[in-house]
């Protein structure tokens, strides 16, 4: 029994070591803030423009996909004073392979000032659960950067359109690894504005 436990323990650590090495190699191949969940400079400028445009509308800004809160902090620092920013994540993935509980704690530390001041509200849960239970005001802007699969992005766009959100945008348009482009193009056949990989649509 003792030897069996040792075997299971060795297999567990082997998987964790492989995941850590894979992450390290990916970061070395792409040594930029983008690999950590951030945006390129031109993408940040475009998102700031969209957040400023959202100041003309009532309702909160909703972000799907917090990761470590880098984009959350960017929007929190440029949104209209008094406008709520809700960021949604279930912490199921991060580039370092951190367990969900540790990932969440780390992100809350990064967003500590914004969370304590009430500038940002962090919803811990899936996008689907948030959307199905949301009863707040119509969002002024929705930013999609969570699950990048076709189905997830399609459903998030459909939710935003059903609520008549005036500004819908997201990240990773044109990234062939994901289903973002297909979902966006199907939802908006007349086209969207793209800056870097940030796409946006004024509805």
């Amino acid at each position: 029994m003792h030897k069996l436990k040792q075997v299971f323990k060795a297999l567990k650590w082997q998987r964790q070591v492989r995941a850590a090495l894979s992450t390290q190699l990916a970061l070395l191949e792409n040594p930029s803030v983008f690999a950590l969940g951030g945006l390129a400079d031109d993408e940040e400028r475009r998102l700031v423009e969209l957040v400023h445009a959202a100041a003309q509308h009532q309702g909160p800004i909703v972000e799907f996909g917090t990761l470590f809160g880098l984009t959350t902090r960017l929007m929190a620092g440029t949104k209209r004073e008094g406008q709520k920013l809700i960021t949604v994540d279930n912490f199921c993935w991060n580039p370092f392979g951190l367990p969900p509980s540790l990932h969440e704690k780390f992100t809350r530390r990064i967003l500590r000032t914004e969370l304590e001041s009430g500038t940002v509200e962090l919803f811990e849960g899936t996008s689907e659960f948030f959307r199905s239970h949301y009863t707040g005001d119509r969002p002024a802007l929705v930013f999609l950067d969570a699950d990048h699969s076709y189905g997830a992005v399609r459903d998030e766009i459909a939710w935003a359109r059903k609520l008549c959100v005036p500004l819908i945008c997201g990240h990773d348009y044109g990234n062939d690894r994901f289903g973002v482009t297909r979902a966006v193009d199907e939802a908006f056949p007349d086209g969207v504005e793209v800056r870097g990989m940030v796409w946006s649509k004024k509805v």
Side-chain angles (χ1 to χ4, degrees):
M1 181 62 71
H2 178 67
K3 288 185 177 179
L4 190 59
K5 286 183 178 180
Q6 286 183 321
V7 170
F8 282 129
K9 188 175 182 179
L11 288 173
K12 174 185 175 182
W13 282 109
Q14 186 180 53
R15 287 193 295 269
Q16 291 178 336
V17 168
R18 284 179 177 174
L21 286 173
S22 177
T23 297
Q24 181 65 19
L25 288 172
L27 291 173
L28 289 173
E29 290 174 359
N30 185 18
S32 68
V33 71
F34 175 74
L36 304 177
L39 304 178
D41 290 344
D42 60 331
E43 295 171 340
E44 284 194 344
R45 287 191 288 269
R46 178 55 181 157
L47 186 56
V48 167
E49 292 173 1
L50 292 167
V51 172
H52 285 162
Q56 304 171 19
H57 303 280
Q58 297 301 312
I61 293 170
V62 176
E63 175 190 35
F64 290 113
T66 315
L67 193 56
F68 297 124
L70 300 181
T71 305
T72 312
R73 294 199 71 196
L74 174 69
M75 292 192 288
T78 54
K79 68 180 181 60
R80 185 186 75 242
E81 185 176 356
Q83 188 172 35
K84 182 186 292 186
L85 196 168
I86 306 170
T87 184
V88 180
D89 207 304
N90 65 348
F91 302 101
C92 68
W93 179 88
N94 65 81
F96 301 114
L98 298 174
S101 59
L102 185 56
H103 177 188
E104 181 183 359
K105 288 179 181 178
F106 182 56
T107 301
R108 285 186 180 276
R109 281 292 186 94
I110 293 174
L111 294 173
R112 179 188 299 177
T113 301
E114 290 81 4
L115 292 173
E116 290 180 352
S117 67
T119 303
V120 170
E121 176 184 326
L122 174 57
F123 180 90
E124 194 274 315
T126 65
S127 167
E128 183 178 10
F129 185 88
F130 175 86
R131 288 182 279 114
S132 64
H133 290 78
Y134 182 73
T135 57
D137 296 334
R138 181 188 72 179
L141 179 148
V142 170
F143 181 68
L144 312 180
D145 198 16
D147 186 338
H148 291 69
S149 67
Y150 163 76
V153 177
R154 176 199 61 200
D155 292 348
E156 288 171 348
I157 292 174
W159 175 79
R161 297 189 75 177
K162 183 178 180 180
L163 292 181
C164 298
V165 175
L167 289 166
I168 307 173
C169 56
H171 193 225
D172 281 303
Y173 185 90
N175 191 328
D176 294 335
R177 294 184 301 156
F178 305 128
V180 175
T181 307
R182 177 187 167 196
V184 171
D185 288 348
E186 285 185 6
F188 306 110
D190 56 334
V192 295
E193 184 172 347
V194 180
R195 185 92 57 87
M197 288 190 178
V198 169
W199 63 270
S200 59
K201 184 71 175 182
K202 295 182 179 180
V203 181

